[in-house]
Amino acid sequence: MIASVLILTFVTLQRLAELVIARRNTRQLLAAGGVEVGAEHYPLIVGLHSAWIVGLWLLARDEPPDLAWLAVYAVLQVLRVWVLASIGRRWTTRIIVVPGETLVRRGPYRFLSHPNYAVVVAEIAVLPLVFDMPAYAAVFTLLNASVLWIRIRAEGAALRANAAPVST
């Protein structure tokens, strides 16, 4: 179906564009004295997200999209933009801690410690549901939860060690 291919193309291009932004931000943060933490689990994240999108291309490209779930996914994209705009140049796919930097507490960061992870968790579950793939959604949600458990612990420890004040 053309609609499914368009949806998957959008998500794929979005993820690739985000990788470009993340790499640029990572370079800038490292140049500013940042230190990467938790690099050992980064390949797990890349592998999981790659498998998720490749699997969707293989299994969902001929499935008609459910417009209600697609609307939910669209709302998640608005939230994603809000998260990325709120954290700005500090957003990256890696954990980079810059000594002396303050934690962001604007936008959705006023309400959640990890709003980006919340959006990603929802996306990993919702996009397969757009294509009526609840088992796929469940499997990747559980796999993502296990990787996020590792990542959030590593990030939390790094931020506590940095102990920077909070910015608004």
Side-chain angles (χ1 to χ4, degrees):
M1 293 219 117
I2 290 179
S4 298
V5 169
L6 289 174
I7 293 164
L8 293 172
T9 299
F10 168 79
V11 173
T12 302
L13 292 175
Q14 176 190 44
R15 294 299 195 264
L16 292 173
E18 287 172 358
L19 285 176
V20 170
I21 294 166
R23 285 189 181 135
R24 182 197 67 214
N25 290 348
T26 295
R27 281 193 306 272
Q28 290 174 351
L29 291 168
L30 292 174
V35 177
E36 182 173 2
V37 177
E40 63 278 354
H41 73 263
Y42 188 71
L44 289 172
I45 293 170
V46 172
L48 175 75
H49 286 258
S50 297
W52 175 75
I53 196 77
V54 168
L56 287 170
W57 272 103
L58 293 173
L59 300 172
R61 71 174 172 251
D62 294 324
E63 296 297 321
D66 179 300
L67 297 182
W69 281 114
L70 186 58
V72 172
Y73 193 80
V75 169
L76 291 171
Q77 299 320 291
V78 171
L79 293 174
R80 172 181 282 285
V81 169
W82 187 31
V83 166
L84 298 183
S86 296
I87 200 163
R89 66 173 184 81
R90 293 165 75 179
W91 178 82
T92 180
T93 55
R94 298 180 177 270
I95 302 171
I96 308 292
V97 177
V98 180
E101 285 273 345
T102 59
L103 291 176
V104 173
R105 290 289 181 210
R106 64 181 165 272
Y109 290 88
R110 289 177 293 182
F111 311 110
L112 293 172
S113 298
H114 302 285
N116 190 56
Y117 299 155
V119 169
V120 171
V121 164
E123 287 175 329
I124 284 178
V126 170
L127 190 57
L129 296 176
V130 169
F131 304 109
D132 193 29
M133 299 170 58
Y136 191 92
V139 167
F140 274 92
T141 296
L142 291 173
L143 291 171
N144 187 51
S146 64
V147 172
L148 276 180
W149 183 79
I150 296 166
R151 182 173 179 90
I152 289 171
R153 287 174 43 123
E155 187 173 324
L159 291 174
R160 282 188 300 279
N162 191 40
V166 175
S167 71
T168 53

